[in-house]
Amino acid sequence: MTKPDTPPRSRDPLLLAAGVLAVVSAGLLAAHVSFGGDTFRNCAYLGPSTRMYVTAWAAPGCSVVALMLACLRDPRRFGGARVAVVCVVALLLFLQLFALYWVYAPDPAGGAGCSGLA
């Protein structure tokens, strides 16, 4: 008994790269959120740390590249996993742009440390 010849499933390397970049982008967003405690020390506002700036800029950069890679192929073959990747990356990009805005926002405590506005 021999198996019928079935063509191998082709995997799109660009879609795979877009998926990997989406995961990296989500990891950078999670890292940025975890670095949120860097802004205050002993009730003194220090401002965002360098690692907050780096993750705030790198995450949307990865998302934009992932979107470009996901949309490079023939638009007639735009379905299934490609749509899922584009939807997830678009949501991530929205959250990352909000996080990037937050890095450059003014001091939320109003300059008075942990007590809030004076």
Side-chain angles (χ1 to χ4, degrees), residues 18-94:
V20 168
L21 280 172
V23 170
V24 168
S25 175
L28 286 168
L29 180 62
H32 175 76
V33 170
S34 72
F35 298 149
D38 292 353
T39 56
F40 285 95
R41 183 175 297 143
N42 297 330
C43 288
Y45 182 72
L46 303 174
S49 65
T50 302
R51 60 187 185 171
M52 289 179 74
Y53 283 108
V54 169
T55 55
W57 278 102
C62 287
S63 290
V64 168
V65 173
L67 277 176
M68 289 174 25
L69 289 175
C71 295
L72 274 179
R73 287 288 182 190
D74 188 11
R76 292 172 289 171
R77 296 178 51 202
F78 201 82
R82 192 174 309 275
V83 171
V85 167
V86 169
C87 289
V88 167
V89 170
L91 178 64
L92 278 172
L93 186 60
F94 174 74

Side-chain angles (χ1 to χ4, degrees), residues 97-113:
L97 290 176
F98 180 73
L100 184 62
Y101 167 78
W102 182 79
V103 166
Y104 290 100
D107 176 9

